[in-house]
Amino acid sequence: MKDATNNFLRTNLLGTGGFGEVYKGVLPDGTPIAVKCAKIGNTKSTDQVLNEVRILSQVNHRSLVRLLGCCMDMDQPIMVYEFISNGTLADHLHGLRSPLTWHHRLSIAHQTAEGLAYLHFLAVPPIYHRDVKSTNILLDEKLSAKVSDFGLSRLAESDLSHISTCAQGTLGYLDPEYYRNFQLTDKSDVYSFGVVLLELLTSQKAIDFTRPSDDVNLVIYVKRLVMEERLMEAVDPTITKDATDIELDTMKAIGFLAVSCIEETRQNRPSMKEVHEEIELIMTLGENH
């Protein structure tokens, strides 16, 4: 890994987080890779990396980042992933990379929902991601979405309706019910995904202190506009500007789907499978016209 990353050269650094650092590397056969290193001697960081290995070695889906291998030196475990070349969804939505058309945003929503529905319904036991957000959705050269960062993910126990666990995740994306009663369910991911849908529609950040104080939280801001029947005012003007009536209808439909995902009470939220099917339906409506 030292050879592949040029001895973890700083110019190869892709990102840092609570877990440690991620470097770009190249294998001897020319395959580009991403190398995630835990913080040395930090047990929490090591635990997250080991958890991610455990989760990712059990799953295989085109919308989830692939784990290629790992090195389990307990001082500093290292994970090797496929390299995803086009940055994060957040980079594209918040001006750090090229902007996305509505068509691309819709297919990113669809692919992400498909990956999460796979984790909830096809993985055995089911897996709750627990940190769904736009910085954890990577885009490849074709702008296809890959869900990443499973450091906080949990395996569900088949006979339990929820997992009791300390609320972890990212402010602005955190399921309020999970935050209140520490019960993690598949609907906690649905809530976070609803926030990502709002980001795709508005190009706004989940938490942004440059908005008026009542609107700092994107969920509260959009819910207020929905109450006032002004949902479309929240949508990024760059995608509404030259949009056809059908495209505007699909934006509205995604907006209302997002609002159903961010319902306060988890019983009122759709499942990830239902969300995926709904996005599929919205896309076909757009294509059929």
Side-chain angles (χ1 to χ4, degrees):
M1 285 304 101
K2 281 183 172 170
D3 287 347
T5 57
N6 215 339
N7 207 6
F8 299 106
L9 194 66
R10 298 310 284 176
T11 50
N12 287 330
L13 188 67
L14 294 170
T16 56
F19 54 80
E21 298 176 324
V22 182
Y23 292 85
K24 184 180 180 183
V26 181
L27 294 178
D29 68 358
T31 307
I33 53 171
V35 181
K36 183 189 269 192
C37 314
K39 286 181 179 165
I40 294 182
N42 179 323
T43 50
K44 196 173 175 192
S45 170
T46 302
D47 289 347
Q48 283 198 15
V49 168
L50 295 175
N51 185 53
E52 186 150 13
V53 170
R54 196 174 58 140
I55 301 277
L56 281 178
S57 51
Q58 299 186 40
V59 297
N60 181 15
H61 190 277
R62 62 184 174 200
S63 297
L64 306 176
V65 163
R66 252 177 350 129
L67 179 66
L68 302 178
C70 56
C71 160
M72 282 308 157
D73 176 334
M74 293 318 286
D75 277 347
Q76 189 183 31
I78 286 176
M79 300 172 65
V80 182
Y81 304 89
E82 60 176 332
F83 175 69
I84 312 294
S85 59
N86 225 331
T88 69
L89 173 58
D91 293 342
H92 289 267
L93 292 178
H94 306 141
L96 297 174
R97 284 186 180 241
S98 56
L100 299 164
T101 64
W102 176 240
H103 173 74
H104 282 133
R105 294 177 196 220
L106 206 46
S107 67
I108 289 163
H110 180 246
Q111 291 153 355
T112 306
E114 189 179 14
L116 293 172
Y118 165 86
L119 291 176
H120 291 182
F121 290 94
L122 294 173
V124 181
I127 294 165
Y128 306 152
H129 186 282
R130 211 157 60 133
D131 202 14
V132 176
K133 55 183 176 180
S134 55
T135 50
N136 282 344
I137 297 167
L138 305 179
L139 302 180
D140 69 10
E141 65 287 347
K142 293 178 178 160
L143 294 175
S144 297
K146 307 261 185 185
V147 179
S148 74
D149 208 335
F150 290 78
L152 293 180
S153 301
R154 292 295 292 265
L155 298 168
E157 291 172 44
S158 43
D159 52 344
L160 293 179
S161 64
H162 65 269
I163 303 172
S164 294
T165 160
C166 201
Q168 277 186 294
T170 303
L171 282 178
Y173 297 90
L174 202 54
D175 168 10
E177 205 165 81
Y178 169 38
Y179 189 71
R180 274 196 302 271
N181 59 25
F182 301 130
Q183 292 183 349
L184 175 69
T185 70
D186 59 329
K187 298 293 182 75
S188 306
D189 281 351
V190 172
Y191 183 93
S192 307
F193 179 73
V195 181
V196 171
L197 286 181
L198 295 183
E199 285 184 272
L200 283 163
L201 270 177
T202 63
S203 301
Q204 303 255 7
K205 293 178 179 174
I207 298 286
D208 187 350
F209 292 101
T210 63
R211 290 195 290 263
S213 58
D214 287 349
D215 294 338
V216 164
N217 186 321
L218 184 59
V219 166
I220 293 169
Y221 167 59
V222 172
K223 279 186 173 177
R224 179 174 64 77
L225 288 180
V226 169
M227 291 279 293
E228 296 166 3
E229 298 187 354
R230 293 162 52 211
L231 169 67
M232 292 305 284
E233 286 180 31
V235 180
D236 179 355
T238 65
I239 55 173
T240 54
K241 195 171 62 178
D242 299 315
T244 64
D245 287 348
I246 295 299
E247 284 172 332
L248 291 171
D249 286 346
T250 59
M251 289 173 201
K252 202 174 286 179
I254 289 290
F256 286 122
L257 176 61
V259 169
S260 71
C261 292
I262 55 174
E263 280 280 351
E264 278 283 315
T265 315
R266 66 169 177 253
Q267 282 82 351
N268 296 341
R269 297 175 206 149
S271 70
M272 213 56 239
K273 201 169 166 186
E274 290 166 333
V275 172
H276 174 241
E277 286 163 0
E278 182 67 23
I279 296 174
E280 214 152 60
L281 191 66
I282 292 167
M283 288 174 82
T284 34
L285 291 176
E287 283 158 13
N288 288 343
H289 285 270

